[in-house]
Amino acid sequence: MDHSTSKSCTNANHDDKSLLHWTQWQLLDSVLPTGGFAHSFGLESALQSNLIKQPEDLKPFIIQVLDNTGSLLLPFVHTLNKSPDTETWTRLDNLLEATLTNEIARKASATQGSALLRVAASVFREITELKLIRERFIGSGLVFFHHACVFGLLTGLLGFDGRMAQRAYIFMTMRDVLSAATRLNVVGPIAASVLQHEIASAAEGIVEKWRDRNVEDACQTNPLLDTVQGCHAYLFSRLFCS
Amino acid sequence: MAETETETTSGVVTVEKVRGRSTITRCFFKYPLKLILPKKVGSSQVDAVWIYALSYGGGIVSGDQISCKISVGDGCTASFTTQASTKVYKSVDSKCSEQVLEAIIGNEAFLALIPDPVTCFSTARYSQKQNFRIFSCSNLVVVDWITSGRYQSGERWDFTSYKSTNCIYLDNDRPIFIDSVLLEQSLVCDIAERMQCYQVIAMVILLGPKLKNLQNQIKEVVKKMMTVKLRPPTTNFGRYAKSEAQHDRFVPDLIASCSTFGPQGIGSVIRVTATTTEAVYAFLRTHLSSLEMFLGAPPYCQSGI
């Protein structure tokens, strides 16, 4: 065994910026066990309401979901990414609880956020705040662990810059809706990948439009989708939680 | 509770108990708002006051700023409504029209805000904000809705921008419901495309102990109604679909969903969208009829027929 080679492999002299790439990719990889696969973002409901009649309807649907995600949730991601402290997090988490007036979306957000925090606390052990926050607040009833807030906090503690964090949030949403679309047999996996590339430009436009706003300006831009997503609990047979 | 009035305040209404009955002890209004307080709207057996808000010229003109404060004292009941839909005329010089409502509802008090819908004409820019400050035993009904425009004349979602924000604060400063809807023409997607074939969007908030039964009732009714309208697509959906079979299925002409909100689920919000205004009037008339026992008259019975 050549000692010098093995030494350079394990010696962590890589700069933080390079390592951040690995963290970013891990966070965006769908293999991260956060349970995003259980949610369809209203797609299943939209299908059963016949608002999506054919595969061509999927692209505008996804773009509208991303636009609504941008307008409603990016302000929370942005603010917490900038100020990843406990006081801001508890305040914004409670505000998001009041803002997610759609019960289906609200529960999905809390479930996904809890899962993300649990995974992040285990994986990013060097960020002790994650474990401490989780232990302090879990079961307390003081916070709801909403996904956009946990994500903003996490990216802030990890050192992602704001634009990257907000772009990542939109990317993850797009990734999960497309995944739901293939599982609901709206499109096949290759068609979904084609769509993902086609939508990228619109998605970047959405990030540019809604980034860096205050939470007071958070709003929803698609009341039809909101109404339809709220019907998810009435679906007689369903594959997804939301 | 200090009232902060400024030069821009267009209207103030204060309801208090006088000799055991809900009484309007203060009513102020100035252009562009007009308030009417008819005495005989509801049954005199029921303790409630009715306030009608009117706009001069039948609508809101570009650049109008209207702000109104309502205070409903402990144990009082007030109903705040309109005579007709609120028309928002086209924007001139890109000016935005704005309405702001600040309401304080005391303990065991009841405020029903049950207006006709807002209709924004082509190129209109409009924003409204409604803040409600409540206590744990306050009761609140809010109907907030908009039509696509003069859709029978072909104006469908043709306005430039509409924003409606409703905020409910418990015990002065705890936000329990913050909803802001923004419909703005955008490069991403114009409003008509977003709304598909639907011409009306409505939101109904029910909150408080007196409304618990109605909340449960509506929740069941909406669930039953929607379960019938929603059907899983045939297993042939997808690349191998027979597209004719799928197109045969119509979209529901009315979609509704109901969510609870707030600590211990004290509130419910029902969202409704429909292809006609009449369908939503019928929905409101039917499902809010039991409010007659609190208000003295059932909501929307003279409207939209």
Side-chain angles (χ1 to χ4, degrees):
Chain A
M1 181 163 69
D2 186 292
H3 276 290
S4 63
T5 314
S6 76
K7 234 188 169 171
S8 70
C9 281
T10 56
N11 206 352
N13 265 341
H14 313 294
D15 61 67
D16 288 342
K17 256 181 118 181
S18 307
L19 287 179
L20 195 59
H21 286 300
W22 290 83
T23 301
Q24 287 167 354
W25 295 358
Q26 181 171 12
L27 205 59
L28 296 176
D29 190 344
S30 50
V31 96
L32 193 69
T34 56
F37 59 80
H39 302 282
S40 78
F41 297 86
L43 176 59
E44 191 162 30
S45 229
L47 278 170
Q48 294 202 26
S49 314
N50 209 25
L51 293 187
I52 297 183
K53 297 180 185 56
Q54 59 218 342
E56 294 73 53
D57 295 334
L58 184 61
K59 184 170 173 180
F61 174 85
I62 295 179
I63 291 175
Q64 289 167 35
V65 168
L66 297 184
D67 192 55
N68 205 50
T69 304
S71 62
L72 192 64
L73 298 175
L74 284 190
F76 292 88
V77 174
H78 158 67
T79 307
L80 278 160
N81 171 266
K82 236 179 24 174
S83 318
D85 58 85
T86 310
E87 193 273 323
T88 306
W89 178 62
T90 53
R91 183 169 53 86
L92 258 51
D93 182 87
N94 275 273
L95 183 59
L96 188 49
E97 171 77 3
T99 305
L100 289 171
T101 58
N102 181 318
E103 197 173 348
I104 304 282
R106 189 169 70 235
K107 289 182 179 166
S109 167
T111 306
Q112 289 189 276
S114 301
L116 177 61
L117 185 58
R118 190 176 84 241
V119 168
S122 304
V123 169
F124 304 109
R125 269 177 291 197
E126 67 280 12
I127 305 185
T128 51
E129 291 99 319
L130 291 169
K131 185 160 183 278
L132 291 171
I133 281 177
R134 193 163 177 264
E135 281 171 359
R136 178 173 161 196
F137 288 101
I138 201 162
S140 68
L142 295 171
V143 290
F144 304 90
F145 300 97
H146 282 299
H147 187 243
C149 294
V150 171
F151 188 79
L153 175 76
L154 177 60
T155 58
L157 293 172
L158 287 169
F160 286 24
D161 81 72
R163 189 181 275 191
M164 202 273 167
Q166 291 171 88
R167 185 185 287 125
Y169 198 79
I170 297 293
F171 175 86
M172 284 168 18
T173 306
M174 175 165 67
R175 173 199 74 191
D176 289 346
V177 184
L178 280 166
S179 162
T182 53
R183 297 196 5 259
L184 284 164
N185 207 26
V186 180
V187 286
I190 292 189
S193 300
V194 169
L195 257 182
Q196 186 169 3
H197 183 57
E198 277 177 12
I199 294 176
S201 172
E204 180 64 15
I206 286 166
V207 174
E208 274 312 295
K209 182 175 166 192
W210 298 112
R211 68 180 173 86
D212 301 349
R213 292 186 181 218
N214 294 326
V215 293
E216 291 74 39
D217 297 331
C219 57
Q220 54 151 311
T221 57
N222 203 317
L224 173 60
L225 288 191
D226 188 47
T227 306
V228 168
Q229 188 184 24
C231 291
H232 192 87
Y234 313 140
L235 304 183
F236 182 71
S237 77
R238 52 194 133 127
L239 202 54
F240 292 86
C241 297
S242 79
Chain B
M1 292 174 223
E3 273 178 15
T4 47
E5 280 170 41
T6 63
E7 272 180 9
T8 56
T9 302
S10 320
V12 178
V13 180
T14 306
V15 183
E16 290 170 306
K17 285 276 194 184
V18 174
R19 288 187 290 274
R21 290 201 61 98
S22 303
T23 311
I24 296 172
T25 55
R26 180 161 184 225
C27 179
F28 158 80
F29 58 89
K30 71 173 189 193
Y31 181 87
L33 178 66
K34 186 167 175 165
L35 300 174
I36 296 183
L37 319 172
K39 294 266 186 285
K40 291 211 168 118
V41 177
S43 150
S44 51
Q45 312 275 14
V46 174
D47 177 40
V49 294
W50 283 71
I51 304 138
Y52 283 75
L54 277 64
S55 5
Y56 288 90
I60 296 181
V61 167
S62 173
D64 273 353
Q65 308 274 314
I66 302 171
S67 76
C68 192
K69 295 183 191 321
I70 304 177
S71 200
V72 187
D74 292 350
C76 294
T77 299
S79 186
F80 197 82
T81 183
T82 50
Q83 273 191 333
S85 72
T86 300
K87 294 150 196 62
V88 182
Y89 299 114
K90 65 172 194 217
S91 169
V92 175
D93 297 332
S94 300
K95 279 188 287 195
C96 188
S97 324
E98 205 176 83
Q99 283 208 102
V100 176
L101 177 73
E102 296 275 351
I104 300 176
I105 303 111
N107 249 317
E108 304 197 14
F110 194 132
L111 174 65
L113 190 66
I114 42 176
D116 295 282
V118 169
T119 294
C120 291
F121 288 5
S122 180
T123 77
R125 287 175 189 265
Y126 175 73
S127 143
Q128 67 180 35
K129 193 162 168 45
Q130 307 189 133
N131 289 331
F132 305 93
R133 290 179 199 275
I134 62 156
F135 301 92
S136 54
C137 291
S138 305
N139 301 282
L140 181 63
V141 173
V142 178
V143 178
D144 184 12
W145 52 319
I146 174 175
T147 70
S148 60
R150 293 174 286 193
Y151 59 86
Q152 287 99 338
S153 322
E155 243 179 48
R156 295 173 183 230
W157 306 113
D158 204 23
F159 50 84
T160 301
S161 163
Y162 165 91
K163 186 172 186 185
S164 178
T165 304
N166 285 284
C167 301
I168 304 178
Y169 299 94
L170 179 60
D171 297 331
N172 276 317
D173 54 5
R174 180 180 165 189
I176 60 168
F177 182 94
I178 309 274
D179 182 70
S180 198
V181 173
L182 173 65
L183 292 175
E184 195 173 56
Q185 303 296 358
S186 83
L187 295 169
V188 170
C189 182
D190 62 40
I191 305 172
E193 193 190 334
R194 236 178 286 178
M195 294 304 296
Q196 299 199 21
C197 58
Y198 297 95
Q199 305 304 322
V200 189
I201 190 98
M203 176 174 77
V204 180
I205 299 171
L206 302 172
L207 184 152
K210 289 183 179 164
L211 290 153
K212 201 71 210 160
N213 285 338
L214 180 56
Q215 288 183 49
N216 291 334
Q217 213 180 335
I218 289 195
K219 191 171 162 183
E220 284 312 306
V221 159
V222 168
K223 182 175 176 181
K224 271 204 185 103
M225 176 181 80
M226 291 312 300
T227 305
V228 169
K229 294 189 193 214
L230 302 169
R231 278 278 172 265
T234 62
T235 50
N236 288 334
F237 192 95
R239 333 190 260 292
Y240 309 114
K242 287 203 180 335
S243 50
E244 308 85 44
Q246 206 60 33
H247 287 153
D248 280 347
R249 291 174 59 221
F250 294 106
V251 287
D253 50 17
L254 184 142
I255 302 180
S257 60
C258 184
S259 291
T260 55
F261 68 86
Q264 286 90 49
I266 54 167
S268 293
V269 57
I270 302 113
R271 294 198 196 259
V272 187
T273 185
T275 53
T276 64
T277 314
E278 291 69 41
V280 182
Y281 268 119
F283 181 94
L284 295 171
R285 205 176 295 129
T286 307
H287 300 299
L288 298 182
S289 60
S290 65
L291 293 181
E292 181 174 7
M293 75 172 109
F294 302 111
L295 306 178
Y300 299 107
C301 276
Q302 302 304 319
S303 336
I305 299 172

